[in-house]
């Protein structure tokens, strides 16, 4: 398998944490790709020009991170991370969607902050910040009930919180979220999280 990736992408991190937890990271060739620069090979594989983009051993191209993670779990994990049906599946998928939404808002806020000062919208940045804060509040309500069984919801949460630490280190999401902070402290020590810590 080949994975187009960026070492600082939290969505790529989610895929790599999943792959490590499933024991298949050694079967993935990572191709360092800058999605912000035109790359005809990336656009050929993924018309959206985004990472992560996975090419399977059979030549099928998959994107984005929820699809790639579920593919890896289906083929190599026998559904270990994605419950197959019923309330447990919808709960885990909702958690993944919530965490991806936190990431979407955090990434948009960071990009807004990189625009020239005269072109930035403070209202837009506040809108994204508030979405992140509401999302973390929702995770706090969920975290106390998370059991020991690893799910894509937990992986997604850890990658989202790790991104907040990476890009918004001056804003402590842990304040007011004791259950979530305690859970993350333990989860962040997993080898899969340590091996995928963002750099750059």
């Amino acid at each position: 398998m080949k994975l187009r990736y960026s070492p600082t992408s939290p969505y790529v991190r989610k895929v790599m944490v999943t792959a490590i937890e499933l024991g298949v990271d050694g079967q993935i060739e990572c191709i360092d790709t800058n999605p912000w620069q035109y790359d005809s090979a990336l656009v050929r594989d993924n018309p959206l020009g985004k990472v992560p983009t996975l090419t399977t051993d059979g030549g099928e191209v998959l994107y984005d991170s929820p699809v790639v993670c579920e593919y890896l779990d289906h083929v190599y994990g026998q559904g270990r991370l994605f419950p197959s049906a019923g309330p447990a599946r919808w709960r885990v998928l909702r958690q993944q969607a919530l965490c991806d939404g936190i990431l979407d808002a955090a990434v948009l806020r960071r990009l807004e902050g990189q625009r020239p000062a005269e072109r930035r919208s403070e209202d837009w940045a506040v809108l994204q910040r508030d979405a992140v804060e509401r999302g973390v509040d929702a995770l706090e309500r969920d975290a106390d009930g998370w059991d020991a069984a690893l799910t894509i919801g937990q992986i997604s949460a850890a990658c989202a919180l790790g991104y907040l630490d990476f890009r918004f280190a001056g804003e402590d999401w842990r304040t007011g979220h004791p259950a979530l902070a305690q859970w993350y402290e333990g989860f962040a020590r997993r080898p899969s999280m340590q091996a995928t810590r963002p750099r750059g």
Side-chain angles (χ1 to χ4, degrees):
M1 294 179 285
K2 295 183 179 181
L3 180 71
R4 292 197 168 275
Y5 88 113
S6 166
T8 59
S9 166
Y11 307 100
V12 169
R13 188 181 193 190
K14 185 171 72 162
V15 169
M16 291 308 301
V17 169
T18 296
I20 292 170
E21 293 289 348
L22 296 174
V24 298
D25 52 303
Q27 300 179 41
I28 298 176
E29 175 189 353
C30 291
I31 303 171
D32 201 343
T33 304
N34 184 348
W36 303 111
Q37 294 179 350
Y38 181 77
D39 183 328
S40 59
L42 174 62
V43 174
R44 182 188 65 239
D45 290 345
N46 180 346
L48 301 176
K50 293 183 177 182
V51 294
T53 297
L54 180 77
T55 303
T56 70
D57 289 336
E60 186 171 10
V61 179
L62 302 175
Y63 46 83
D64 53 0
S65 65
V67 175
V68 174
C69 289
E70 187 155 12
Y71 169 81
L72 293 174
D73 188 47
H74 177 75
V75 174
Y76 301 100
Q78 291 75 52
R80 188 189 327 163
L81 304 178
F82 288 79
S84 60
R89 176 172 176 80
W90 306 124
R91 183 168 57 251
V92 166
L93 291 182
R94 185 200 73 218
Q95 289 171 348
Q96 178 180 221
L98 172 64
C99 297
D100 284 353
I102 290 171
L103 283 176
D104 292 345
V107 169
L108 286 172
R109 182 183 171 201
R110 179 170 184 271
L111 292 176
E112 187 67 21
Q114 292 180 313
R115 287 160 55 90
E118 67 275 10
R119 298 178 61 188
R120 293 177 196 165
S121 168
E122 182 62 24
D123 289 344
W124 176 253
V126 168
L127 188 69
Q128 306 311 319
R129 184 199 65 200
D130 289 350
V132 169
E133 291 178 354
R134 290 193 303 270
V136 174
D137 287 346
L139 287 180
E140 170 70 10
R141 293 191 292 271
D142 274 356
D144 200 35
W146 283 344
D147 55 29
L150 181 65
T151 69
I152 194 61
Q154 293 173 24
I155 290 173
S156 301
C159 291
L161 297 173
Y163 184 78
L164 296 181
D165 282 347
F166 178 51
R167 293 302 192 194
F168 298 95
E171 301 176 13
D172 186 12
W173 60 263
R174 291 166 179 80
T175 300
H177 306 103
L180 188 60
Q182 182 177 4
W183 170 82
Y184 180 71
E185 181 180 358
F187 197 96
R189 291 196 291 265
R190 295 178 77 97
S192 61
M193 291 291 290
Q194 291 294 312
T196 59
R197 290 177 66 180
R199 61 185 188 278

